[in-house]
Amino acid sequence: MSFQIAIDGPAGAGKSTIAKRVAKIKEFIYVDTGAMYRAMGYYLMKQNVGPYDEAAIEEHCVNADITIAYENGEQVVFLNGENVNGVIRTEAVGNMASATSKNPKVRERLTALQKELARTNNVVMDGRDIGTCVLPFADVKIYLTASSAVRAKRRYDELTAKGVACDLAQIEEDIIKRDHQDMNREVAPLKQAEDAHLVDSSYMTIEEVVDTILKLCEK
Ligand code: DC
């Protein structure tokens, strides 16, 4: 049986940073499910499908062949054979992923791929519905969150460090909008699983969060 660590939470809570570190220490594979939804969003954008055009999303999503591979321990996402790791990291693709991930057919395709990965590997998997839908029997479930103000400030610092001009209030507004969209959709909304441990990282360091998760794995 594989060992499964599920980490869910809103955008910008630090899921991927934490999940990557835990995976490295445990020597598990890290599965970033958001990247799969982003690859799908990117594909649909390229097909000129509108974010709320459910019929067109259903028609086109079946033509997106999304697979993942590991290169030097890093997850690489392929869309119809093309490495899309770089191009899926924009805000526009993130927002398209959030909108199109509401579609049940999109979720069905990507959930099947995620379940299969976790069946055959020890995983740290992060996303929105991992503990609730994808891996309901995960060994350890974490709901990682932080206040919207803290998440916005982290994002602002990241962008500013890269020399990108941005507006803190606008970033927080976008985060709140994305939370609302991810938490209020009909299928597999973001919510804390009943048996998930709540970790609020607002005033914790990365090391403290990682330690908390490692301790839970030992229990
Ligand atoms: O974690 P992220 O920002 O890369 O995810 C992008 C969007 O994908 C997110 O806003 C909602 C969707 N998503 C999802 O619906 N289910 C997941 N397990 C992961 C992401």
Side-chain angles (χ1 to χ4, degrees), residues 8-12 15 32-38 88-89 93-99 101-102 107 114 126-130 134 178 181-182 185 187-188:
D8 290 300
K15 296 186 299 294
D32 172 0
T33 64
M36 299 176 188
Y37 286 96
R38 282 172 182 265
I88 58 175
R89 289 291 148 206
V93 173
N95 290 333
M96 183 68 171
S98 178
S101 64
K102 283 197 290 202
R107 300 207 73 80
Q114 293 154 14
D126 76 2
R128 304 293 189 287
D129 62 337
I130 311 306
V134 182
R178 178 102 79 92
Q181 183 152 260
D182 292 346
R185 65 180 177 223
V187 188

